[in-house]
Amino acid sequence: MKLLYPLIILIFTNFLGANRLYSINLSFPWNDELNQVTIRKDFQLSDNFYLCSSIGLIMNPFNLGFKYKNNYNKNGFVFYSGIGYTPLLIKWGPGVFYHFSPSYQWKATEYLYFNLGLTYSLYYDFPEANIMEGFSGILPFYQLSIKF
């Protein structure tokens, strides 16, 4: 639980900036972090690399990862790799998801973007101390992002 506080602080740091490094992601059935609704903040590390923190609904309420975009806020390929903390699932206890998600992003308007891609996930269950195969694998995703 103590690890969640720094992540929450990181997510909400400088939340008032208007540089389109913030986004609300709506997905069906899930996005690159296995959530249906996500609020994400990207911290630019270099021209193409970003540290991403987010909070979401469904599988991973807290996420932290790295993203590579060849054209930020334009059409182009996106590669995301990160971890998400899951406090409790229906059948299993708390655990961590690892995600790797290649996708392609289309810019629809100045603030509206679409992503289509695949996500590879591994779920590590803390009480069982092993990788749960029922939640691991490759899944397609479609994501609508509203950036601000």
Side-chain angles (χ1 to χ4, degrees), residues 12-80:
F12 292 106
T13 303
N14 295 324
F15 198 69
L16 298 176
N19 50 13
R20 284 185 283 160
L21 291 174
Y22 294 93
S23 62
I24 297 173
N25 302 312
L26 307 172
S27 309
F28 182 80
W30 44 72
N31 65 9
D32 52 359
E33 297 171 338
L34 293 183
N35 289 318
Q36 288 183 335
V37 178
T38 302
I39 298 172
R40 181 182 287 168
K41 165 69 169 125
D42 295 345
F43 298 91
Q44 188 169 7
L45 302 175
S46 69
D47 287 342
N48 300 94
F49 288 97
Y50 299 84
L51 174 68
C52 306
S53 60
S54 67
I55 55 174
L57 296 174
I58 300 296
M59 299 292 262
N60 300 304
F62 307 103
N63 296 281
L64 188 63
F66 292 95
K67 186 187 307 180
Y68 170 83
K69 287 188 172 187
N70 63 342
N71 286 317
Y72 197 81
N73 291 333
K74 296 181 182 173
N75 292 349
F77 288 99
V78 179
F79 296 94
Y80 173 79

Side-chain angles (χ1 to χ4, degrees), residues 23-28 30-31 36-38 106 108 111-116 141-147:
S23 62
I24 297 173
N25 302 312
L26 307 172
S27 309
F28 182 80
W30 44 72
N31 65 9
Q36 288 183 335
V37 178
T38 302
W106 288 273
Y111 299 101
L112 193 62
Y113 299 81
F114 297 99
N115 282 63
L116 181 63
F141 73 90
Y142 178 74
Q143 176 174 290
L144 168 69
S145 297
I146 303 164
K147 297 187 179 185

Side-chain angles (χ1 to χ4, degrees), residues 115-135:
N115 282 63
L116 181 63
L118 297 172
T119 184
Y120 172 74
S121 298
L122 285 174
Y123 176 67
Y124 182 83
D125 186 89
F126 292 140
E128 297 292 325
N130 65 5
I131 293 175
M132 304 300 284
E133 293 183 13
F135 282 114

Side-chain angles (χ1 to χ4, degrees), residues 65-115:
F66 292 95
K67 186 187 307 180
Y68 170 83
K69 287 188 172 187
N70 63 342
N71 286 317
Y72 197 81
N73 291 333
K74 296 181 182 173
N75 292 349
F77 288 99
V78 179
F79 296 94
Y80 173 79
S81 179
I83 58 170
Y85 174 72
T86 302
L88 183 63
L89 290 174
I90 295 169
K91 192 172 180 180
W92 292 283
V96 173
F97 273 99
Y98 166 74
H99 309 285
F100 176 72
S101 303
S103 65
Y104 191 82
Q105 173 180 274
W106 288 273
K107 180 178 181 178
T109 68
E110 185 178 354
Y111 299 101
L112 193 62
Y113 299 81
F114 297 99
N115 282 63

